[in-house]
Amino acid sequence: MTEIPPKPVLLTGASGALGRALTAALSAQGWTLRLTDLAPFPDRLPANASFTRADLVDGVALLRLAEGCGTILHFGATSIDRPFGEVLGPNIQGVYHIYEAARREGARVVFASSNHAIGFHERAETLDADCDHRPDSFYGLSKAYGELMARLYWDKHGVETVSLRIGFCFPEPIDARMLATWLSYADLVRLVARCTLADRVGYAVIWANSANSRSWWRDDDRSVIGWAPQDTADVFAGQLAGKLSGNPVIERYQGGAYCAVDYSRTGPSPAQLFRHKG
């Protein structure tokens, strides 16, 4: 029998592609969902779900939506690279409001972070989850901020979080980079379910990608929740292995195209930071 959380689950960003996939899969398993987004929900609403339009900058609205919830799946955000002013409200203020709601309710947070929080690491590197943040954009910077907010609220208030550094989550990968970063919808659903249903998670960070042999990412906290991906991008390698951008910045760094936007260096960013002793 499928496990069902004992309390309602709040899902932000419900009208986005990942929110819709999670809504369909988790509601079919019998979960009680409270859905919210700034945009209307485009699909037929499941019988065991409710939807409320709300802005992430509205802290009072989020407090109300979180009442009685045991888990907050925080997938709401400006989800692409945008100027800082457009990222500030939903991605910076919004994550603070989510954690205040979680603190008040004693709820767990599953935070949709991103590989763009570490995007300026080079593809020649293999990363553990405790690697340095090297955001590749204001979007990636906001995700690094969210991970730090999660750490603060765990250390100071005991709010549990699993931060999911999502790679590329679409039905199929579309270029060679995504042979390393792809996460299938089915693996995402299984991952979010385990994040919600695990007994204790503390503060955890997980590389959210499928079992891709070309992955740049290794050790993380997935054993805490008992999750392992079941799908792989390897089956697409034959058709995508040579599908490259031709841009040396994009091809050098793990963040791909986000690294190249407004890139003004004349050469590569150093692989290691310069640390001067005083």
Side-chain angles (χ1 to χ4, degrees), residues 54-136:
D55 194 323
L56 291 171
V57 303
D58 187 345
V60 173
L62 290 174
L63 286 172
R64 290 172 178 164
L65 283 165
E67 287 181 357
C69 290
T71 303
I72 301 173
L73 308 178
H74 185 39
F75 280 71
T78 294
S79 59
I80 56 175
D81 184 21
R82 299 298 300 162
F84 183 73
E86 295 181 34
V87 171
L88 177 62
N91 294 30
I92 302 296
Q93 285 184 290
V95 79
Y96 164 71
H97 292 150
I98 288 297
Y99 275 93
E100 276 296 286
R103 179 181 66 83
R104 191 185 72 169
E105 296 299 321
R108 178 180 298 173
V109 178
V110 179
F111 174 56
S113 186
S114 171
N115 70 101
H116 295 293
I118 53 85
F120 263 115
H121 284 280
E122 296 188 4
R123 297 188 188 186
E125 299 177 74
T126 302
L127 305 180
D128 295 333
D130 61 355
C131 66
D132 289 339
H133 287 110
R134 295 191 70 175
D136 54 28

Side-chain angles (χ1 to χ4, degrees), residues 189-208:
V189 170
R190 289 186 285 261
L191 173 55
V192 168
R194 289 310 313 152
C195 290
T196 304
L197 296 168
D199 289 337
R200 295 283 295 171
V201 300
Y203 171 81
V205 178
I206 293 176
W207 299 111

Side-chain angles (χ1 to χ4, degrees), residues 45-267:
L45 197 63
N48 49 339
S50 60
F51 177 80
T52 302
R53 287 186 71 176
D55 194 323
L56 291 171
V57 303
D58 187 345
V60 173
L62 290 174
L63 286 172
R64 290 172 178 164
L65 283 165
E67 287 181 357
C69 290
T71 303
I72 301 173
L73 308 178
H74 185 39
F75 280 71
T78 294
S79 59
I80 56 175
D81 184 21
R82 299 298 300 162
F84 183 73
E86 295 181 34
V87 171
L88 177 62
N91 294 30
I92 302 296
Q93 285 184 290
V95 79
Y96 164 71
H97 292 150
I98 288 297
Y99 275 93
E100 276 296 286
R103 179 181 66 83
R104 191 185 72 169
E105 296 299 321
R108 178 180 298 173
V109 178
V110 179
F111 174 56
S113 186
S114 171
N115 70 101
H116 295 293
I118 53 85
F120 263 115
H121 284 280
E122 296 188 4
R123 297 188 188 186
E125 299 177 74
T126 302
L127 305 180
D128 295 333
D130 61 355
C131 66
D132 289 339
H133 287 110
R134 295 191 70 175
D136 54 28
S137 55
F138 291 127
Y139 169 73
L141 180 65
S142 75
K143 293 303 183 179
Y145 168 86
E147 291 187 16
L148 290 171
M149 182 73 78
R151 184 76 212 209
L152 171 65
Y153 271 71
W154 166 245
D155 286 335
K156 183 165 282 193
H157 304 299
V159 174
E160 292 195 319
T161 293
V162 185
S163 291
L164 306 180
R165 288 185 183 156
I166 297 172
F168 177 85
C169 192
F170 274 77
E172 294 184 0
I174 61 174
D175 62 22
R177 173 181 174 269
M178 295 167 196
L179 294 173
T181 64
W182 183 64
L183 174 69
S184 72
Y185 278 8
D187 276 337
L188 170 69
V189 170
R190 289 186 285 261
L191 173 55
V192 168
R194 289 310 313 152
C195 290
T196 304
L197 296 168
D199 289 337
R200 295 283 295 171
V201 300
Y203 171 81
V205 178
I206 293 176
W207 299 111
N209 64 328
S210 290
N212 310 322
S213 65
R214 294 165 177 79
S215 177
W216 307 304
W217 310 322
R218 52 185 184 189
D219 292 345
D220 62 11
D221 298 317
R222 65 188 59 192
S223 63
V224 172
I225 65 167
W227 174 77
Q230 298 179 25
D231 299 323
T232 179
D234 293 0
V235 297
F236 302 97
Q239 65 199 65
L240 296 177
K243 194 170 183 180
L244 306 174
S245 68
N247 183 311
V249 175
I250 292 175
E251 298 302 328
R252 186 180 188 94
Y253 299 108
Q254 296 190 12
Y258 280 38
C259 297
V261 175
D262 297 327
Y263 190 88
S264 63
R265 279 182 172 272
T266 56

